[in-house]
């Protein structure tokens, strides 16, 4: 059998129908190619647009504690920024804390004046030194605004609550990055700074770091003042603090402070009910405040710390411009306090209650010899003022008196309430800072509550468990079987 190879030249020419089919095929292929290119370009453009959008529009906060949802306070602060703030995140590449980077993205999405960059210490070994942050923990943040800078340490962005550790053996973690970052931004963008002088020479207690750090975040530095070496309060004093004096003011010291107040000065005083200070008391009396003799005993359990003595007061915090910097979640702790009798306001002197007891409290007169907390026949009933503010509209003087020696004593609070110390010290420190801000005329920055990192447990009732079990083990499978049979029968009939 002979096989002859066909000559391509002798192949019949395509007819018109075949040529038309080929043209349609080519056009369809061209259209498909062009469409694929257009779709690819659109996808790339869409990715670029989505990537340029703030993360608040592209990433949703589904955490139970809303860890990455910024408060209205932070949003307002960021939207009102008129200077550039740069955050440098100190973390090795590949070891970033995703919680911190996500919230930094949220900050950047709220203001064009806020940006952040990562600085790997391995690649930039000397970078942190120029901001005195060489000892900062990994994953810390350096905030820079012009010549101002501050370090938000990693450990300040997470808070451990050990209040239940001694009973349950466990603790809870909270995410405090928003409070730390917002406080840092307020600090580096603040235009004014102030000096709070704390008086010495009368056995006063010095402020500890828990209080000085909170003041520093509001642009207030603390310096000592001894009136034995100078006969006047310095002109740059934004306020004067007399913290738990163990001896009375001398006549000359009282006169110097009186002159300071008459010239529009500001005074914050805490006192001990066991220490007699007639000169200081006379100065405070000129501003409408006198002592209520006796130790305050609280009978309402919601006004003193659970598990402690009835003298460990959690007084009511009045809501006003002076206390505006203390959030609802904070508590002011005044263990071992005495009442203050508030006089009547006049045309030029306004008196405002800041802290007060319940109406069931009483002032124990014979507290030094008392062996029980029972009210005596001569013990007056409450309510009592524990803290009072006086403002003179004529001179501009402002005086705040808290009749509790332990208000600004970290060690004393820790001794009385070890499990709750950090919470209580924070509230007391914020009251001091809020008051100083009121004295200087600065706007109070509200403290932002920490966000819980504990996932909420979903509890399913026993009846619901039974119903769900029947639904997914019997009802749903039977429904699929019935649907399958029905589909099969319909197809066979066709």
């Amino acid at each position: 059998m002979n096989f002859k190879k066909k000559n391509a030249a002798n192949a019949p020419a395509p007819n018109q129908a075949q040529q038309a089919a080929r043209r349609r095929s080519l056009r369809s292929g061209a259209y498909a190619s062009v469409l694929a290119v257009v779709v690819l370009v659109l996808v790339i453009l869409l990715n670029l647009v989505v990537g340029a959008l703030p993360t608040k529009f592209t990433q949703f906060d589904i955490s139970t504690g809303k860890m990455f949802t910024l408060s209205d306070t932070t949003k307002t602060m960021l939207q009102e920024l008129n200077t550039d703030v740069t955050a440098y995140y100190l973390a090795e590449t590949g070891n970033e804390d995703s919680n911190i980077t996500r919230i930094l993205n949220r900050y950047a999405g709220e203001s064009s004046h806020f940006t952040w960059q990562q600085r790997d210490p391995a690649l930039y070994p000397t970078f942190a030194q120029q901001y005195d942050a060489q000892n900062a923990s990994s994953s810390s943040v350096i905030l820079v605004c012009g010549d101002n800078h501050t370090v938000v340490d990693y450990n300040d962005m997470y808070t451990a609550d050990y209040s239940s550790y001694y009973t349950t053996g466990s603790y809870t973690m909270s995410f405090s990055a928003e409070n730390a970052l917002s406080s840092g931004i307020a600090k580096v963008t603040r235009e004014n700074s102030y000096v709070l002088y704390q008086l010495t020479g009368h056995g006063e207690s010095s402020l500890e770091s828990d209080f000085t750090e909170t003041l520093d975040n509001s642009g207030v530095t603390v310096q000592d003042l001894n009136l034995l070496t100078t006969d006047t309060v310095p002109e740059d004093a934004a306020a004067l603090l007399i913290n738990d004096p163990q001896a009375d003011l001398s006549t000359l010291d009282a006169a110097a402070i009186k002159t300071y107040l008459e010239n529009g000065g500001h005074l914050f005083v805490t006192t001990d009910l066991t220490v007699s200070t007639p000169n200081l008391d006379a100065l405070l009396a000129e501003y409408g405040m006198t002592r209520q003799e006796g130790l305050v005993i609280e009978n309402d359990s919601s006004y003193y710390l659970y598990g402690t003595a009835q003298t460990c007061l959690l007084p009511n915090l009045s809501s006003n411009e002076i206390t505006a910097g203390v959030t609802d979640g904070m508590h002011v702790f005044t263990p071992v306090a005495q009442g203050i009798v508030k006089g009547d306001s006049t045309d030029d002197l306004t008196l405002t209650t800041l802290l007060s007891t319940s109406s069931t409290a009483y002032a124990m007169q014979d507290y030094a010899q008392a062996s029980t907390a029972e009210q005596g026949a001569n013990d007056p009933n409450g309510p009592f003022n524990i803290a009072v503010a006086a403002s003179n509209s004529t001179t501009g003087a402002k005086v705040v008196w808290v009749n509790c020696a332990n208000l600004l004593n970290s060690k004393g609070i820790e001794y009385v309430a070890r499990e709750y110390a950090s919470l209580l010290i924070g509230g007391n420190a914020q009251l001091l800072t809020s008051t100083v801000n009121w004295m200087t005329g600065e706007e109070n920055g509200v403290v932002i509550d920490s966000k819980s990192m504990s996932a909420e447990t979903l509890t399913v009732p026993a009846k619901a468990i039974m119903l769900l079990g029947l639904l997914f083990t019997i009802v749903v499978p039977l429904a699929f079987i019935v649907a399958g049979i029905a589909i099969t029968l319909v197809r066979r009939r066709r």
Side-chain angles (χ1 to χ4, degrees):
M1 182 179 290
N2 295 326
F3 294 93
K4 293 183 179 180
K5 188 176 180 181
K6 291 184 178 180
N7 190 347
N10 297 327
N15 56 33
Q16 292 181 351
Q18 291 174 331
Q19 291 177 353
R22 288 180 180 179
R23 285 194 296 269
R24 285 195 298 270
S25 178
L26 288 174
R27 283 196 298 268
S28 299
Y31 290 152
S33 300
V34 171
L35 183 60
V37 172
V38 171
V39 171
L40 181 60
V41 171
L42 290 176
V43 169
I44 294 173
L45 290 175
L46 181 61
N47 284 332
L48 291 174
V49 170
V50 172
L53 290 174
T55 55
K56 65 180 180 180
F57 298 120
T58 59
Q59 296 180 7
F60 300 98
D61 187 1
I62 59 173
S63 59
T64 56
K66 296 298 180 182
M67 290 171 52
F68 312 107
T69 300
L70 301 182
S71 66
D72 292 338
T73 301
T74 295
K75 290 179 180 178
T76 301
M77 179 187 67
L78 291 171
Q79 291 164 5
E80 292 178 352
L81 277 180
N82 52 20
T83 56
D84 292 336
V85 177
T86 303
Y88 295 102
Y89 178 51
L90 306 178
E92 294 183 0
T93 304
N95 291 324
E96 299 88 351
D97 187 311
S98 59
N99 293 334
I100 296 176
T101 57
R102 284 188 65 181
I103 200 165
L104 286 173
N105 284 331
R106 292 296 178 114
Y107 272 73
E110 291 294 337
S111 173
S112 60
H113 287 289
F114 182 92
T115 57
W116 74 275
Q117 305 171 23
Q118 183 172 346
R119 286 292 183 267
D120 188 334
L123 300 177
Y124 303 90
T126 62
F127 177 79
Q129 294 180 7
Q130 60 184 309
Y131 299 107
D132 299 323
Q134 58 271 20
N135 296 323
S137 306
S138 178
S139 284
S140 296
V141 176
I142 302 174
L143 295 171
V144 180
C145 179
D147 296 330
N148 299 328
H149 63 268
T150 189
V151 179
V152 180
D153 195 80
Y154 173 79
N155 296 315
D156 294 332
M157 290 186 273
Y158 288 93
T159 304
D161 182 5
Y162 293 94
S163 59
S164 61
Y165 183 80
Y166 297 97
T167 56
T168 64
S170 62
Y171 63 92
T172 58
M173 291 295 297
S174 298
F175 191 48
S176 309
E178 184 184 354
N179 182 51
L181 290 171
S182 295
S183 298
I185 293 172
K187 180 179 179 180
V188 298
T189 56
R190 186 175 291 108
E191 297 179 356
N192 300 320
S193 60
Y194 303 95
V195 179
L196 171 68
Y197 283 95
Q198 55 181 359
L199 194 65
T200 63
H202 313 88
E204 294 91 347
S205 299
S206 296
L207 290 178
E208 298 162 3
S209 60
D210 296 305
F211 298 94
T212 58
E213 289 177 1
T214 305
L215 287 167
D216 185 61
N217 287 335
S218 290
V220 180
T221 58
V222 180
Q223 297 183 22
D224 291 340
L225 172 65
N226 192 327
L227 290 175
L228 290 175
T229 60
T230 176
D231 58 352
T232 60
V233 178
E235 293 183 358
D236 65 339
L240 177 65
L241 171 66
I242 304 177
N243 185 24
D244 183 25
Q246 296 303 297
D248 194 18
L249 301 178
S250 68
T251 304
L252 292 177
D253 291 349
I257 297 173
K258 180 179 179 180
T259 300
Y260 167 67
L261 291 174
E262 289 174 346
N263 291 327
H266 308 136
L267 178 65
F268 191 107
V269 181
T270 69
T271 50
D272 188 336
L273 79 163
T274 65
V275 178
S276 176
T277 55
N279 288 336
L280 177 58
D281 288 6
L283 183 63
L284 295 170
E286 293 186 17
Y287 289 86
M289 298 176 283
T290 57
R291 290 179 186 261
Q292 167 65 60
E293 295 299 330
L295 171 66
V296 174
I297 307 292
E298 183 59 76
N299 283 318
D300 189 332
S301 60
S302 61
Y303 280 73
Y304 65 89
L305 188 64
Y306 174 77
T308 61
Q310 292 169 253
T311 57
C312 297
L313 308 181
L314 289 174
N316 176 62
L317 180 70
S318 301
S319 178
N320 50 58
E321 61 175 336
I322 306 172
T323 62
V326 186
T327 61
D328 294 336
M330 285 187 160
H331 299 276
V332 177
F333 188 45
T334 57
V336 190
Q338 190 177 45
I340 299 173
V341 178
K342 183 178 69 173
D344 295 329
S345 296
T346 62
D347 291 339
D348 58 354
L349 186 66
T350 301
L351 294 167
T352 305
T353 297
L354 303 183
L355 300 172
S356 59
T357 69
S358 74
S359 58
T360 62
Y362 69 92
M364 180 182 286
Q365 304 298 300
D366 193 21
Y367 59 86
Q369 286 76 36
S371 58
T372 66
E374 293 184 7
Q375 184 176 5
N378 297 322
D379 295 339
N381 293 312
F384 302 107
N385 303 306
I386 303 300
V388 176
S391 177
N392 190 307
S393 59
T394 301
T395 64
K398 295 179 179 178
V399 179
V400 171
W401 180 17
V402 185
N403 203 353
C404 172
N406 295 307
L407 177 79
L408 307 179
N409 184 356
S410 298
K411 294 180 180 178
I413 295 174
E414 289 173 352
Y415 178 79
V416 174
R418 179 176 57 182
E419 296 180 7
Y420 308 97
S422 60
L423 174 65
L424 299 173
I425 292 172
N428 289 17
Q430 197 59 36
L431 175 64
L432 172 63
T433 303
S434 182
T435 303
V436 173
N437 285 339
W438 167 69
M439 290 177 171
T440 60
E442 286 287 338
E443 183 178 352
N444 268 307
V446 179
V447 175
I448 301 164
D449 294 334
S450 300
K451 310 291 181 65
S452 175
M453 298 182 67
S454 301
E456 296 181 5
T457 303
L458 177 62
T459 303
V460 182
K463 292 182 178 179
I465 292 175
M466 182 178 297
L467 292 174
L468 291 172
L470 290 173
L471 176 65
F472 290 106
T473 60
I474 298 177
V475 176
V476 172
L478 283 176
F480 278 105
I481 292 172
V482 171
I485 294 173
I487 293 172
T488 302
L489 293 174
V490 169
R491 287 181 176 176
R492 285 185 176 179
R493 288 178 181 176
R494 289 179 182 176

